[in-house]
Amino acid sequence: KNQVEQSPQSLIILEGKNCTLQCNYTVSPFSNLRWYKQDTGRGPVSLTIMTFSENTKSNGRYTATLDADTKQSSLHITASQLSDSASYICVVDNYGQNFVFGPGTRLSVLP
Amino acid sequence: DVKVTQSSRYLVKRTGEKVFLECVQDMDHENMFWYRQDPGLGLRLIYFSYDVKMKEKGDIPEGYSVSREKKERFSLILESASTNQTSMYLCASRDGAVGYTFGSGTRLTVV
């Protein structure tokens, strides 16, 4: 069964600290993996997209990694800001047949 | 800048009412989707459409219907609203390369 799992379910950190969010998937075939950021009361917005051959991709303070062998991805946030408080959703694309969504990780950054 | 626009941010309806949620995209995408998002459950697909006048059931279509009369517009219809349909509703359109572009969401409360 195609599935995407994320951990932790929620996370609280202090402003300025780093954090890492995890995504494990059992989706096949695999086309690409995307991370979305969703602010409270808003729709998700794309952060990164990674294909099978990419190991690391950065978008400002966000760095995503992908290990296609172990079917794991992580999203690392550096020097967190209050505006990073949001839900982060991992989404796996199996060649357009369907996009499989993870449940999300709720991140709260406190001053 | 590409856009998916949902007509209402917040909506309060009574049980038994017929409810229309409207979604318009300006990217000429063929694929459009309606999701609902509930705490702890992530995004769940209600209906999707690959072309005008075409619709396909998603994972949780019961109690909903859709209409796609024009390429840019995809409407979600709650035939007789019930309290268990209180949720956040997200519309999205999709391009294979770009992935999903989401609307800002409609927070529907059924009382």
Side-chain angles (χ1 to χ4, degrees):
Chain A
K1 179 183 177 183
N2 287 332
Q3 209 163 354
V4 176
E5 298 176 343
Q6 292 187 244
S7 63
Q9 186 175 16
S10 61
L11 184 62
I12 301 173
I13 61 174
L14 294 177
E15 187 179 13
K17 298 295 185 182
N18 303 336
C19 68
T20 300
L21 314 180
Q22 299 290 344
C23 172
N24 298 332
Y25 61 93
T26 57
V27 178
S28 181
F30 174 88
S31 173
N32 57 67
L33 183 146
R34 306 159 191 263
W35 283 93
Y36 284 83
K37 178 187 178 187
Q38 184 179 18
D39 293 314
T40 301
R42 295 283 183 176
V45 174
S46 180
L47 289 175
T48 66
I49 173 175
M50 301 184 71
T51 60
F52 186 88
S53 59
E54 295 177 299
N55 299 119
T56 304
K57 183 168 280 189
S58 292
N59 177 4
R61 294 179 297 102
Y62 300 101
T63 299
T65 66
L66 175 65
D67 186 334
D69 291 331
T70 61
K71 298 188 177 181
Q72 295 180 329
S73 176
S74 66
L75 181 69
H76 185 75
I77 303 175
T78 304
S80 61
Q81 300 176 358
L82 299 178
S83 59
D84 292 331
S85 294
S87 288
Y88 292 84
I89 303 171
C90 176
V91 184
V92 180
D93 176 10
N94 59 346
Y95 286 101
Q97 295 176 33
N98 201 4
F99 280 48
V100 186
F101 288 80
T105 292
R106 177 70 200 169
L107 174 65
S108 299
V109 180
L110 303 182
Chain B
D1 200 14
V2 297
K3 261 189 177 176
V4 175
T5 303
Q6 293 184 229
S7 53
S8 304
R9 289 291 309 280
Y10 300 95
L11 215 50
V12 180
K13 296 292 182 180
R14 294 191 181 280
T15 302
E17 275 193 80
K18 191 169 185 176
V19 182
F20 293 86
L21 303 183
E22 305 289 345
C23 175
V24 178
Q25 51 103 355
D26 64 0
M27 296 164 283
D28 203 34
H29 288 170
E30 293 180 346
N31 305 320
M32 296 188 73
F33 304 79
W34 274 106
Y35 289 88
R36 65 177 282 177
Q37 186 178 34
D38 301 288
L41 296 177
L43 285 102
R44 292 183 291 168
L45 181 63
I46 305 171
Y47 266 97
F48 59 101
S49 169
Y50 287 138
D51 204 348
V52 175
K53 295 192 184 296
M54 293 185 65
K55 59 185 179 184
E56 297 285 343
K57 292 180 180 179
D59 300 320
I60 50 165
E62 295 78 21
Y64 303 94
S65 62
V66 290
S67 172
R68 184 108 182 258
E69 296 296 318
K70 294 184 178 180
K71 191 175 186 179
E72 67 271 19
R73 186 180 295 271
F74 192 34
S75 303
L76 180 69
I77 304 160
L78 285 67
E79 297 291 343
S80 177
S82 63
T83 54
N84 63 14
Q85 291 179 311
T86 291
S87 185
M88 173 73 141
Y89 290 88
L90 288 163
C91 174
S93 71
R94 192 181 81 191
D95 172 87
V98 173
Y100 285 96
T101 301
F102 287 90
S104 295
T106 296
R107 172 75 61 188
L108 172 68
T109 302
V110 182
V111 298

